[in-house]
Amino acid sequence: MSATPVTHLNFHGEARAALEFYAAAFGGEATIRTYADFGMPAGLPDSDKVVFGQVFAPSGFTVMAYDVPGAQDAPAAQVSTRRENGMTITTAPFFLALNADTLDEATEHWSALSAGATVIEPLAASAWSPGFGMLTDRFGTTWVLSVTAPQQP
């Protein structure tokens, strides 16, 4: 028996755009189903919103998302994340950690995710990794990128 956790992101009307962005960023394919696809009459509020969305990439990257019904006008929770004196100070309930085998791979992911993002800590060598960086993408998801391979002496 195995259990594989998959991140499920909740949006307020931006799930389709986020899923398409992540599919492009990770070379995957997005599967998107709306509330109308599952029987909600067309024209009702939320009928065109995402009830089930998933990105799967050949690399194994997977993320799910949907639009919270009735919440497209709801304000997103205000979160703050910053680096200060080598520490991460945040009000965010979670980050997505993305590990790469090489700095080239991490840089590729960084480049894709950074379009419209807020950089918290630039991707650079750190005391524990040949590459570490943090950013909040344009959809409000904070990513922590790390190279898992040890630094070469």
Side-chain angles (χ1 to χ4, degrees):
M1 182 169 111
S2 69
T4 303
V6 175
T7 302
H8 189 281
L9 303 171
N10 305 320
F11 291 97
H12 301 275
E14 293 186 306
R16 179 182 301 276
L19 288 161
E20 290 169 351
F21 177 75
Y22 298 140
F26 292 99
E29 186 173 323
T31 300
I32 299 172
R33 299 294 180 263
T34 65
Y35 288 93
D37 292 336
F38 289 118
M40 179 183 278
L44 286 181
D46 299 321
S47 64
D48 63 337
K49 302 299 183 214
V50 176
V51 67
F52 173 84
Q54 181 171 346
V55 170
F56 179 78
S59 65
F61 175 86
T62 304
V63 68
M64 297 177 73
Y66 93 120
D67 287 311
V68 176
Q72 59 267 23
D73 296 324
Q78 295 297 316
V79 296
S80 168
T81 302
R82 68 184 190 283
R83 295 278 292 166
E84 189 176 293
N85 298 320
M87 298 180 296
T88 302
I89 312 298
T90 188
T91 59
F94 70 92
F95 299 148
L96 289 183
L98 186 64
N99 295 328
D101 291 334
T102 66
L103 183 56
D104 287 343
E105 182 184 356
T107 301
E108 183 177 323
H109 293 314
W110 182 269
S111 295
L113 291 170
S114 64
T118 300
V119 173
I120 299 163
E121 178 84 11
L123 182 64
S126 69
W128 62 89
S129 172
F132 167 80
M134 293 180 72
L135 60 79
T136 300
D137 71 25
R138 66 183 191 205
F139 298 100
T141 302
T142 298
W143 296 81
V144 178
L145 281 77
S146 296
V147 176
T148 54
Q151 291 189 37
Q152 299 299 318

